[in-house]
Amino acid sequence: MFKRRSQRHTGRWSARRAARGTQPRNQAPPIPAGAGRVACEVIDPVGLPMRADVAVIAADGRQVARGCSDPFGLYQATVPPGDYQLAVSAEGFQPRRTPVRITERDYAAAGPIQLDIAPQPPLPSPGRWDLDPAHTAIRFVARHIGLGDVHGRFNRFQGSVWIGDPVTSSRLEVLIDAASIDTGVQARDDHLRSPDFLDVHTYPHLRFSADRFTHRGGNRWTVAGVLGLHGVSRTVRLDTVYLGTGTGMDGETRAACRATTELHREDYTLNWRKMLAAGIAVVGPTVRVELDIQAIRAES
């Protein structure tokens, strides 16, 4: 047991040394001529390594490299010599920029770079907020039988969220017109509206009702409820990022968020294998739903 722990600690220590530029040259990939290597370690407010997006920005504003720190919080890139900034960002944290100078055939270490938690935007006030269809999008992405992605949206819907006090006692109701599905291809949309898929004549609406709002820290929430589709109801959890409130051009108060979830078509008796057997190559078994929502505070 002690030997295993020691090996794990040694491996992590070596990785950190490499990020700081202290790894022996013969143990790291060679640096090509006319280039240098930049490395950094990203940590959270309590000093633990964290994943973050890292971009290497040149003096003229060009992005010359981009990537993500690994589970140890480490990132490195090989770039031409010069003066750069490392732009480090992660959702829910305040972004940081750190200057670094790269010289030929040498390492430049920046860090550890600590990201602090971003201030949480003010929560919407209690009461009813109505979805604004002009500034709200209900989109989906599905695999086209392994050949590519099918992108679509629903064009007609309505809904409201009743913000409670506390916010965790809120509830949401959204009604979507099934026939308004739009993938940009008429023949495919006709198939999707047919009894083989949505069967819009029998089931004209998709309905989502949620009454479980769970704060996950920062501006992240989980909104859980029931989605009714094709005559079947299943529990759905929306991974939600709250974006805050603001004032519209007409003086109205708005709140915004982004949300995603993943649906499995067979959960709603939409049998893709049967459709394939019938020669209807529409979409694969998994559908990713993406929501961009703006809601307007209803007048009391």
Side-chain angles (χ1 to χ4, degrees):
M1 178 177 70
F2 292 103
K3 182 179 180 181
R4 235 179 250 170
R5 184 175 298 170
S6 175
Q7 288 174 342
R8 187 184 303 117
H9 177 78
T10 302
R12 182 171 174 178
W13 176 247
S14 297
R16 290 182 181 276
R17 288 177 62 199
R20 295 190 179 108
T22 59
Q23 180 80 352
R25 301 272 179 102
N26 59 3
Q27 295 184 24
I31 302 176
R37 186 162 291 151
V38 59
C40 70
E41 177 187 5
V42 185
I43 59 175
D44 65 14
V46 296
L48 296 176
M50 63 175 290
R51 289 186 178 272
D53 293 320
V54 184
V56 184
I57 310 296
D60 60 3
R62 291 180 300 112
Q63 180 177 284
V64 299
R66 186 178 183 85
C68 182
S69 58
D70 66 16
F72 295 102
L74 308 178
Y75 170 82
Q76 65 175 330
T78 301
V79 298
D83 291 324
Y84 297 93
Q85 285 193 334
L86 294 182
V88 184
S89 62
E91 193 168 284
F93 293 82
Q94 295 183 3
R96 280 193 60 183
R97 289 203 173 203
T98 300
V100 62
R101 173 166 291 180
I102 310 297
T103 56
E104 186 173 358
R105 291 287 182 95
D106 202 1
Y107 287 88
I113 298 174
Q114 178 177 310
L115 295 187
D116 295 321
I117 296 175
Q120 183 179 349
L123 294 172
S125 58
R128 195 185 91 223
W129 297 69
D130 297 327
L131 269 60
D132 177 11
H135 296 91
T136 297
I138 301 177
R139 301 184 299 269
F140 60 86
V141 183
R143 199 70 176 164
H144 184 222
I145 316 304
L147 299 178
D149 289 336
V150 172
H151 295 259
R153 60 184 293 154
F154 289 94
N155 292 324
R156 295 189 297 274
F157 51 84
Q158 59 185 4
S160 298
V161 56
W162 287 264
I163 300 298
D165 186 10
V167 176
T168 51
S169 64
S170 303
R171 62 186 178 93
L172 169 68
E173 294 282 346
V174 178
L175 192 67
I176 302 170
D177 183 350
S180 71
I181 192 168
D182 181 1
T183 67
V185 177
Q186 184 64 47
R188 181 166 58 211
D189 292 345
D190 290 342
H191 279 147
L192 294 174
R193 297 185 185 106
S194 76
D196 291 315
F197 195 76
L198 290 176
D199 193 2
V200 299
H201 292 296
T202 306
Y203 309 105
H205 297 104
L206 291 72
R207 182 186 296 272
F208 181 64
S209 302
D211 60 3
R212 283 166 287 172
F213 287 60
T214 304
H215 188 211
R216 294 168 50 192
N219 60 349
R220 301 191 69 90
W221 292 74
T222 295
V223 178
V226 175
L227 175 64
L229 188 162
H230 203 254
V232 178
S233 296
R234 292 284 187 270
T235 298
V236 170
R237 292 175 176 81
L238 300 179
D239 183 8
T240 306
V241 178
Y242 173 62
L243 302 177
T245 59
T247 303
M249 295 180 62
D250 296 327
E252 75 280 10
T253 303
R254 294 174 171 269
C257 69
R258 295 195 309 266
T260 60
T261 191
E262 189 173 90
L263 305 179
H264 298 274
R265 296 207 290 114
E266 290 187 350
D267 287 347
Y268 296 91
T269 68
L270 303 171
N271 194 319
W272 70 282
R273 294 185 180 88
K274 178 181 177 182
M275 295 169 67
L276 279 177
I280 305 173
V282 184
V283 293
T286 302
V287 179
R288 176 178 172 83
V289 180
E290 301 173 346
L291 309 172
D292 283 314
I293 296 173
Q294 283 194 29
I296 299 175
R297 181 73 160 88
E299 295 183 3
S300 302

